[in-house]
Amino acid sequence: MADQITSWADLQARAAEILARVNADPRLGRAAAANPLLAIERLDYSIDPEIRPALADQLRLGPGAAGRLADLRREVAGLAGRAVDPDDAEDVRRLLVELGIVAVAPGPVLDTRPPRWRPGGAGPDPLRRLRDQHPVLPPLLDYRRISAARPRFASERIFVALLDGERTPPVTVVAARLRRGTPPTADL
């Protein structure tokens, strides 16, 4: 049975053991650099789905930005009347249709993918031009800007390719230090 991780404190308590196990396997180390959550699960830890987004945000962006993203998720959900995954292009498209912001019609489809990270921060957001069309859009756009401040974790497909040795990025050891209040932060 997998060891359950249900909070940031659970992850911190297991950090030394996780890092030792990751560093013992060079392929897992390369894959962990691309997506640490998938690597943790590969080590037979189970991450509570309710805290998974918060853990990912904390690992990727630091506590300040992670807290801000959690607040923005709640604000978007309140304005939308349902939970919305701001990182899921299809969920965002459904929301925009539900709210009457975009119509379901033949023709060009609005790009609802989140902005991509690029050195220096987020790239342009294709939803920016819609900002004033509904109260849900400012917090949604703010969420997407903050989230794109750092590269997203690799998909499971890329993680598995790295694990299987199909790609060889220059990573030989994964090291980390988890201290309270000191993870890197994204500019808000």
Side-chain angles (χ1 to χ4, degrees):
M1 183 166 165
D3 192 6
Q4 181 83 7
I5 294 175
T6 60
S7 68
W8 178 253
D10 282 349
L11 181 59
Q12 285 180 308
R14 293 166 175 83
E17 176 190 339
I18 290 169
L19 287 172
R21 291 176 65 195
V22 165
N23 284 327
D25 181 348
R27 286 188 175 175
L28 183 58
R30 285 190 296 272
N35 191 322
L37 293 179
L38 292 176
I40 290 167
E41 290 171 332
R42 182 60 67 135
L43 294 171
D44 204 27
Y45 290 92
S46 174
I47 299 172
D48 182 343
E50 291 294 316
I51 66 145
R52 188 180 188 86
L55 280 182
D57 292 343
Q58 184 117 352
L59 286 169
R60 198 168 58 88
L61 299 164
R68 180 71 178 130
L69 289 183
D71 292 343
L72 288 166
R73 274 190 205 98
R74 282 189 292 275
E75 185 177 352
V76 167
L79 291 165
R82 68 171 179 86
V84 176
D85 181 352
D87 294 313
D88 183 319
E90 287 308 311
D91 197 18
V92 170
R93 182 182 321 281
R94 276 190 302 279
L95 173 66
L96 298 177
V97 169
E98 290 167 8
L99 297 175
I101 297 168
V102 297
V104 179
V109 177
L110 177 66
D111 181 6
T112 56
R113 290 175 297 185
R116 297 187 64 112
W117 172 83
R118 63 180 182 193
D125 193 321
L127 302 182
R128 181 106 180 120
R129 64 184 176 86
L130 303 174
R131 182 176 192 85
D132 298 327
Q133 294 199 16
H134 192 280
V136 78
L137 284 158
L140 176 65
L141 289 166
D142 200 23
Y143 175 97
R144 290 160 57 107
R145 178 187 59 78
I146 294 167
S147 182
R150 298 258 196 285
R152 288 175 174 79
F153 292 148
S155 68
E156 186 168 4
R157 180 184 61 78
I158 292 172
F159 175 85
V160 170
L162 289 165
L163 194 59
D164 291 344
E166 293 177 29
R167 299 176 188 210
T168 55
V171 177
T172 57
V173 173
V174 176
R177 185 181 315 171
L178 296 176
R179 292 186 293 174
R180 288 197 181 118
T182 59
T185 60
D187 293 333
L188 301 175

